Every structure is written in structure tokens, then in C-alpha cells.
Amino acid sequence: METFTQKFKRKMRERFHRFDSWVYPIYWWKRFPLHWLPSLMLQRLIIYEFLGRKNQVLSVKFPPLKNLRMRSNNSHLGGIRYFGWWETELWSIFRQYIPRAGSFMEIGAMEGFYEVIAKKLNPQCTVLAVEPTPGAYELIAENFRLNNLDINEKFVFCDKFVADVSSEKTTTIEKLLSGLPQPIFLLMDIDGGEEKALKGGIQALTKNQMYLLIETHSPELEKACIRILNEHGFQTSIIKNAWWRIFWPEERPAPKLGVVHNRWLWATNIK
């Protein structure tokens, strides 16, 4: 029988096997302010390792998503969603605008977390999930069933990457938007590809009634997306991180700067 201490040591070895003992402190020192280190270590220990197991069905325990049930293929998301802490900055926008939308589309749907929320807030809306990861459709379908939602004609799935041109493995925003009921709520989180996707689909976006929620992971990417949208008549605003992220920070660093920059851009062309 594995003891707690043995399990802890094994988990730490599995998590940090890519870094030698002298490299790992340097890795964190260059990317995060010093006062974040204790909370990051605690977060990894409690949430990632012991609550956030892959392929475990978790039920959210706290409002406003209490009793939402999800199976996640990503261990670090499971524990956070268990407590209902996942991207709480966006909840007010979802509650306000999803009921007004005729369609909800997410580029980077993962396991369908926001698709489930959209269907619960607006059962009549059409949901389009875009996720090229193998097995994503089966996982999203299971999470629909876990929350007593049906996969019917108002659910559409696309397993291609979104780019500025169409090919065998890629599609464009213009093709995805075609035929969707208006207005369209588009959520985009593709870890750095947002600018390229916007450039390829901006003409189509301007032709439709749009609510846009774009997650950005670097200051340059954020500025580029704002510039593209403002040039085409969209009203934009930045959704800043919640105050509690001082203690529970986002862990995705910007690719070149080595600093954490993760927030959301809200845009609409609906007056």
C-alpha cells in the first residue's frame, strides 16, 4: 500500500521529470513573481495532483455552476472546476448574452465545458463546437449526457483547425458562420492563433451580428486583435483578471516574454 509520502514524491517526480533539480528553480524564477511561488506549489499539490485526475467525472460543488458534471481530459482543469473557480471573470457575460444569442460557437472547445453552459442558459440556441483533438466529439457528447442534454440537430461539431484558408485539415471562420442563426456568440481560445484566425474571418464577422469573446496570451496578441476588430467597426473592451488571481494565478506564460499574460477581449458589432 503506497503511503501519502510515497505518493507525494512519485507525483512530484512525474510532474517535474523534464527538469533537472538545478534547472527547475530557474524556470520558475524567470516566469513568475516570487510571491506567486507558494500559491503555485499549493495549487499543483492540492488541485492538480489529488483532485484533478484525468478522465474523472467531477461535479461542481459551489454556485453559480453547482451540480454541473464534467469529465475532463486535462488533469489541471478538473480540480479547478470542482470548486467552480474556472474563469469566473466570464460568468456575468455568459449570463447576460448567451440568452440573447441564436447560436453559440467555440473555437477550441476541448471537452465542451462552455457548450454545456450555453445549452443550459439557452436550450434553443444552436451550438457549434470546433475542436481538432482526437476523441473530442465523444467526450463532449458524454458531458452533454452527464448534464441531461441531448445531442440533436442543434449541435454541430467540427474537427478541423481554424485558419485563414480552407484545406483538408483546416477551415475558416467564414465557413463556420455560414447558416448559423443570429446573433452569434463566438468564443475563441486557441493559444496564440487568434490573430491569424481573425484575419482570415474578419470579413465574415462584419457581415453577421456578433458577440466575440477572445482569450489572449500575450500583450502583442491582445493589441493585434483589438486593432483588427476596431478597424472593422467592432466595439472592444478588455476583461481583466479577477483580484483573487494574485493568490491563484494563471500558469500560461507568454511565448517570448516569459511573463504571464492571460485575459479576455470582448467585442461586438451590435448597437
Side-chain angles (χ1 to χ4, degrees):
M1 183 70 179
E2 191 176 34
T3 66
F4 177 84
T5 302
Q6 290 171 335
K7 181 176 181 179
F8 174 81
K9 290 181 178 179
R10 176 174 59 80
K11 288 288 186 180
M12 293 300 103
R13 284 196 301 268
E14 292 173 357
R15 177 62 66 181
F16 306 138
H17 72 279
R18 292 170 296 176
F19 302 100
D20 295 329
S21 59
W22 66 273
V23 173
Y24 185 73
I26 298 174
Y27 174 82
W28 283 105
W29 178 270
K30 293 174 68 175
R31 283 163 173 76
F32 298 101
L34 185 61
H35 70 275
W36 284 9
L37 291 178
S39 66
L40 283 169
M41 295 176 67
L42 181 64
Q43 179 177 334
R44 283 183 173 274
L45 173 63
I46 298 178
I47 302 301
Y48 289 15
E49 308 299 345
F50 295 98
L51 291 176
R53 299 187 180 94
K54 286 187 178 181
N55 299 317
Q56 179 182 12
V57 176
L58 293 175
S59 179
V60 179
K61 298 301 181 183
F62 298 96
L65 303 178
K66 187 177 181 180
N67 298 325
L68 188 77
R69 303 187 70 210
M70 295 293 298
R71 184 187 297 276
S72 176
N73 62 359
N74 195 326
S75 62
H76 87 273
L77 300 181
I80 296 173
R81 291 175 180 173
Y82 177 88
F83 291 104
W85 295 341
W86 179 250
E87 298 183 340
T88 57
E89 295 94 334
L90 309 182
W91 292 349
S92 61
I93 287 181
F94 268 75
R95 285 195 296 263
Q96 183 176 355
Y97 291 100
I98 289 295
R100 305 180 188 180
S103 305
F104 172 80
M105 179 171 78
E106 182 178 12
I107 302 176
M110 296 182 67
E111 70 271 28
F113 180 74
Y114 285 118
E115 282 70 18
V116 169
I117 293 176
K119 267 297 184 183
K120 282 187 169 292
L121 291 173
N122 186 353
Q124 302 306 315
C125 76
T126 297
V127 170
L128 170 55
V130 184
E131 179 54 63
T133 304
Y137 175 81
E138 291 75 13
L139 187 57
I140 293 173
E142 180 180 1
N143 285 328
F144 268 56
R145 290 192 293 270
L146 286 171
N147 291 278
N148 300 315
L149 299 171
D150 295 325
I151 297 290
N152 53 32
E153 68 280 358
K154 289 195 173 185
F155 175 81
V156 184
F157 180 79
C158 176
D159 62 355
K160 294 185 176 183
F161 292 94
V162 175
D164 50 355
V165 293
S166 293
S167 67
E168 184 179 349
K169 295 184 177 181
T170 64
T171 187
T172 63
I173 289 179
E174 182 175 6
K175 283 194 172 184
L176 292 170
L177 294 178
S178 179
L180 289 179
Q182 307 278 323
I184 302 169
F185 190 117
L186 170 58
L187 174 62
M188 191 187 310
D189 178 11
I190 48 180
D191 291 336
E194 291 82 3
E195 180 185 3
K196 190 174 182 179
L198 276 180
K199 286 180 177 178
I202 191 63
Q203 298 302 326
L205 292 173
T206 57
K207 296 175 183 177
N208 292 275
Q209 293 180 301
M210 299 297 305
Y211 299 120
L212 294 175
L213 188 55
I214 303 172
E215 188 166 1
T216 59
H217 305 290
S218 75
E220 292 86 356
L221 179 61
E222 181 178 273
K223 292 175 183 177
C225 291
I226 290 174
R227 184 181 65 255
I228 294 170
L229 291 167
N230 285 344
E231 288 174 354
H232 291 83
F234 281 82
Q235 303 170 19
T236 59
S237 60
I238 293 172
I239 301 173
K240 297 181 179 180
N241 296 133
W243 64 268
W244 51 263
R245 288 194 183 273
I246 296 174
F247 308 101
W248 203 280
E250 172 64 50
E251 287 197 36
R252 286 181 282 188
K256 295 181 180 179
L257 300 180
V259 296
V260 172
H261 180 97
N262 185 85
R263 54 186 186 181
W264 301 266
L265 175 62
W266 171 252
T268 182
N269 60 358
I270 301 175
K271 305 300 181 180

